[in-house]
Amino acid sequence: MLSPFTAGSPLYVSFPMVSSASPEWFASGLEVTLEAWSKTGSGAWVVVASPGTPAEIGTSGVYEITIAGSKTNVDQLLLKVTADGAADSAMIFQNAAQLSRIESQTTKLSGAPVTVNGNVKPGGQIILKHGDDHLDSQGNALSVGVSDVGGSLFTLMDAVGVENLSIFAMIGKDTTSRIEGTVAALNYASDVLTVTIEFAATETAKGRVGPVYEYDVVRTGTPTRTYFSGKLTVSPDAR
């Protein structure tokens, strides 16, 4: 899945490092090395010099970095993270403006116009704390940003209403891994839709630390529809 970024703007990235010895756990205290490549148009991938060094968020085993805007004035970015004691990981990002053009373009087949419908946008990464209540009432809800140039996605979801929106996450096709939450609020500004999501502790306690989930934010009524998808991970509870 391609995650969107705004060309020429800083790109914030967070990611877990999975222990190579115990894949069910994230690995804390690592010195993580970041390598990056960029691509513009049909050109070749080129190395991005000095992309920076990720830092751990507390002792969560989840690491973060902000790539400088001077390095994001490209069409695509490929990031690879490595560390002793952890599995390698890679992420690919696509210029958000290009994604929007692809989603909204109209092509013609045999002289008949074809409109692209039923589009599922890429959403940001979600990190849950195992066993925690991620609730808006407790100030612990989660926010996910989605590129939405022109606000068409916001308009669609706002018309449905948050009471009819949910989030479901699953590891591959393993239905026993499924966890679910609700949408608490929608906000739109500067071509970005921000979705506030809640997970109850009964759901986060089901989450498996280590594997990467795929999540869908969907309409639960009729007709059903998936609005955007992304990746979700569960961080271990150190208490």
Side-chain angles (χ1 to χ4, degrees):
M1 176 177 292
L2 297 175
S3 297
F5 68 91
T6 301
S9 297
L11 170 62
Y12 174 79
V13 181
S14 61
F15 52 89
M17 294 297 288
V18 177
S19 170
S20 53
S22 302
E24 68 275 16
W25 294 101
F26 293 167
S28 180
L30 302 180
E31 293 185 6
V32 179
T33 298
L34 170 66
E35 298 176 271
W37 294 263
S38 68
K39 184 177 182 180
T40 300
S42 59
W45 287 95
V46 296
V47 174
V48 176
S50 305
T53 302
E56 187 173 9
I57 302 173
T59 56
S60 64
V62 177
Y63 298 75
E64 63 180 353
I65 189 171
T66 298
I67 309 295
S70 60
K71 300 183 184 297
T72 68
N73 196 22
V74 296
D75 290 340
Q76 288 182 299
L77 279 171
L78 171 64
L79 306 181
K80 178 183 178 182
V81 288
T82 58
D84 291 338
D88 295 354
S89 182
M91 299 155 279
I92 191 165
F93 298 83
Q94 175 75 48
N95 183 322
Q98 283 199 332
L99 279 177
S100 295
R101 286 195 293 270
I102 293 169
E103 291 159 2
S104 63
Q105 73 178 3
T106 297
T107 55
K108 290 188 176 181
L109 299 175
S110 301
V114 178
T115 303
V116 179
N117 290 317
N119 176 61
V120 178
K121 284 181 174 282
Q125 183 176 10
I126 295 175
I127 301 174
L128 299 180
K129 191 70 174 178
H130 189 272
D132 272 12
D133 274 310
H134 288 284
L135 302 177
D136 197 35
S137 61
Q138 298 180 0
N140 196 35
L142 302 159
S143 293
V144 181
V146 184
S147 175
D148 186 19
V149 177
S152 59
L153 182 60
F154 169 74
T155 300
L156 287 171
M157 295 178 69
D158 189 52
V160 169
V162 294
E163 67 276 10
N164 295 311
L165 299 172
S166 296
I167 178 170
F168 299 94
M170 196 165 66
I171 303 169
K173 296 182 179 180
D174 182 2
T175 56
T176 66
S177 69
R178 177 168 146 158
I179 56 177
E180 61 184 84
T182 57
V183 173
L186 303 170
N187 292 284
Y188 179 74
S190 302
D191 290 333
V192 175
L193 168 62
T194 302
V195 181
T196 302
I197 292 173
E198 297 184 311
F199 283 90
T202 52
E203 291 296 315
T204 63
K206 298 177 186 176
R208 301 177 190 174
V209 176
V212 177
Y213 288 73
E214 294 283 346
Y215 73 79
D216 293 326
V217 172
V218 304
R219 175 176 178 167
T220 50
T222 302
T224 58
R225 172 169 178 173
T226 300
Y227 294 102
F228 64 91
S229 300
K231 297 189 182 300
L232 179 149
T233 52
V234 181
S235 174
D237 187 349
R239 289 170 291 189

